[in-house]
C-alpha cells in the first residue's frame, strides 16, 4: 500500500529511505564528552528499528558548552573518534546519521535530570561535579538562583562560531550524513534570538536582525565547512512561549534567512527560554508543534521536520501525506519502542513480509507469522 511516511526523501546527495527520524535525546552518560558503548547501543537500536534518520543528542562544540557533566562532545579529534563507530553502525543498518551541534550557553553547568535538573549544588560537588563559568548574550540568568552568565564579547562570539565550524569538520570526517545546528530550547543560539535573554546594545542585539546575527554567522561558517552534498538542518524554538518573546512570525522570517544560506530543513520545536523544553507545559496535545512546521513550510518553501508528541503511525502518516512537514521526528515514543518505525511500516501496509526488519530478525518473525497467522 503506498504511503507518504515510508517514501524516500532526497536531500542534496543524501536519500533518506523513509521520513521517520529519531529526535536528539540527551543521555547524560558521556565521560568528559566522550561517547561510549551506551551511545552506540542507544542509537544503534533505532537504526535496527527502521528509522531513516537517527540524531545524536546535542554534542557540545566546546567543553564549556555542555549542559551537564554527562553531555556528549565533539570539541576534539578524540571526541570525534569516539563517535565514529556510531556512524558506521547506523550506515550498516541502512539509516542516515545526524549529529546535533550545540552550546548550552546560560543553561550550561546544570545537574543531570535525575539529580534535580537545576544548577549544580553541594550534592553535585560531593560527586565531583563542580560548576563552570556560563556565558550568554547578556548577564540574565535562566531563573532565580541560577548562575548569572558572563556577557559574551565579540571575540567570544567569533571563537564560538569557529567552534561550530570545527565541530562540523570533525563530524564530516567520521561519516555523519547530516549536521544540525541547535538553536532551540534556550541554549546559546536561541538565547541570542530571544529578547527575553538578549539585552545587548551592540550588533548582536537590539532588533530581530541583530539578535539573529550570531546564528546566521554560525550557519554560514558551518555551511562553508560542511560538504556541499550533505544536508544542513537547524532546530529552532518556533515560539518561546514567553510574553514578548520570540514568535512564530519571527521564525517564518528566520526560516527564509536560513534557507537563503543553504539550510535544507528547519526542525520546529518550541519553548525552553526560561526553563526546560520538555517539562512544565500545560498538558500539550499530540502533535502540538506540527502547526509550526506547517506554517514555516507553507510560507517559505523550506523543508521542515515536525516533532512533539507524535505517537502513532497514522498520526505521523497524516503529517507527511497532508504536506504539513517533510520529516517526522519521534523521541520518547522511540524509547518506549525502539522498533517504532518497523511497527509503523507494518501498520501502514508498507511491509507485509518483515522485509524491512534486519535479516537476522525478519526471517524469524516472518516464519512465525506464516505459522500462526499473526
Amino acid at each position: 500500500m503506498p504511503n507518504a511516511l515510508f517514501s524516500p526523501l532526497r536531500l542534496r546527495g543524501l536519500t533518506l529511505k523513509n521520513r521517520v527520524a529519531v529526535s536528539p535525546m540527551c543521555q547524560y552518560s558521556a565521560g568528559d564528552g566522550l561517547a561510549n558503548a551506551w551511545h552506540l547501543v542507544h542509537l544503534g537500536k533505532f537504526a535496527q528499528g527502521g528509522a531513516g534518520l537517527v540524531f545524536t543528542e546535542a554534542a557540545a562544540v566546546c567543553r564549556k558548552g555542555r549542559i551537564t557533566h554527562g553531555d556528549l562532545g565533539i570539541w576534539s579529534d578524540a571526541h570525534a573518534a569516539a563517535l565514529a563507530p556510531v556512524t558506521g553502525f547506523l550506515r550498516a543498518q541502512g539509516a542516515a546519521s545526524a549529529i546535533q551541534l550545540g552550546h548550552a550557553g546560560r543553561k550550561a553547568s546544570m545537574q543531570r535530570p535525575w539529580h534535580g535538573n537545576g544548577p549544580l549544588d553541594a550534592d553535585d560537588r560531593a560527586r565531583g561535579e563542580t560548576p563552570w563559568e556560563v556565558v550568554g548574550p547578556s548577564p540574565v540568568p535562566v531563573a532565580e538562583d541560577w548562575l548569572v552568565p558572563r556577557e559574551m564579547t565579540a571575540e567570544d562570539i567569533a571563537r564560538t562560531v569557529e567552534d561550530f565550524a570545527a565541530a562540523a569538520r570533525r563530524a564530516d570526517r567520521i561519516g555523519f550524513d547530516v549536521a544540525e545546528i541547535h538553536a532551540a530550547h534556550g541554549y546559546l543560539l536561541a538565547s541570542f534570538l530571544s529578547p527575553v535573554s538578549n539585552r545587548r546594545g551592540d550588533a548582536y542585539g537590539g532588533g530581530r536582525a541583530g539578535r539573529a546575527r550570531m546564528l546566521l554567522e554560525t550557519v554560514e561558517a558551518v555551511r562553508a565547512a560542511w560538504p556541499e552534498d550533505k544536508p544542513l538542518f537547524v532546530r529552532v524554538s518556533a515560539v518561546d512561549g514567553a510574553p514578548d518573546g520570540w514568535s512564530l512570525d519571527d521564525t517564518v522570517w528566520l526560516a527564509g534567512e536560513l534557507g537563503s544560506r543553504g539550510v535544507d530543513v528547519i526542525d520546529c520545536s518550541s519553548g525552553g527560554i526560561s526553563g526546560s523544553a520538555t517539562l512544565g507545559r500545560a498538558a500539550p496535545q499530540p502533535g502540538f508543534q506540527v502547526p509550526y512546521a506547517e506554517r514555516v513550510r507553507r510560507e517559505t518553501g523550506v523543508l521542515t521536520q515536525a516533532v512533539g508528541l507524535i505517537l502513532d503511525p497514522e498520526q505521523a502518516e497524516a503529517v507527511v501525506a497532508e504536506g504539513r512537514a517533510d520529516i517526522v521526528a519521534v523521541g520518547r515514543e522511540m524509547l518506549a519502542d525502539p522498533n517504532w518505525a518497523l511497527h509503523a511500516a507494518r501498520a501502514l501496509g508498507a511491509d507485509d513480509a518483515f522485509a524491512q526488519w534486519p535479516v537476522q530478525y525478519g526471517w524469524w518473525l516472518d516464519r512465525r507469522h506464516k505459522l500462526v497467522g499473526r
Side-chain angles (χ1 to χ4, degrees), residues 17 146 270 347 349:
K17 67 179 181 180
W146 286 64
S270 67

Side-chain angles (χ1 to χ4, degrees), residues 45-121:
K45 64 190 178 188
F46 302 130
Q48 287 182 323
L53 181 62
V54 179
F55 280 86
T56 69
E57 64 192 81
V61 300
C62 63
R63 182 176 273 108
K64 283 186 177 181
R66 295 171 298 163
I67 307 166
T68 76
H69 278 274
D71 278 35
L72 202 60
I74 191 165
W75 64 80
S76 77
D77 290 346
H79 290 86
L83 275 166
V86 171
T87 63
F89 187 81
L90 298 187
R91 185 178 302 108
Q93 303 307 308
S97 58
I99 185 166
Q100 187 182 68
L101 305 175
H103 189 301
R106 67 189 193 137
K107 296 178 83 171
S109 196
M110 279 180 60
Q111 298 169 322
R112 302 173 204 235
W114 46 86
H115 291 153
N117 215 35
L120 292 167
D121 61 18

Side-chain angles (χ1 to χ4, degrees), residues 225-241:
W226 191 240
E228 182 66 24
D229 65 343
K230 290 188 176 184
L232 177 62
F233 290 34
V234 173
R235 174 167 276 204
V236 298
S237 281
V239 296
D240 276 344

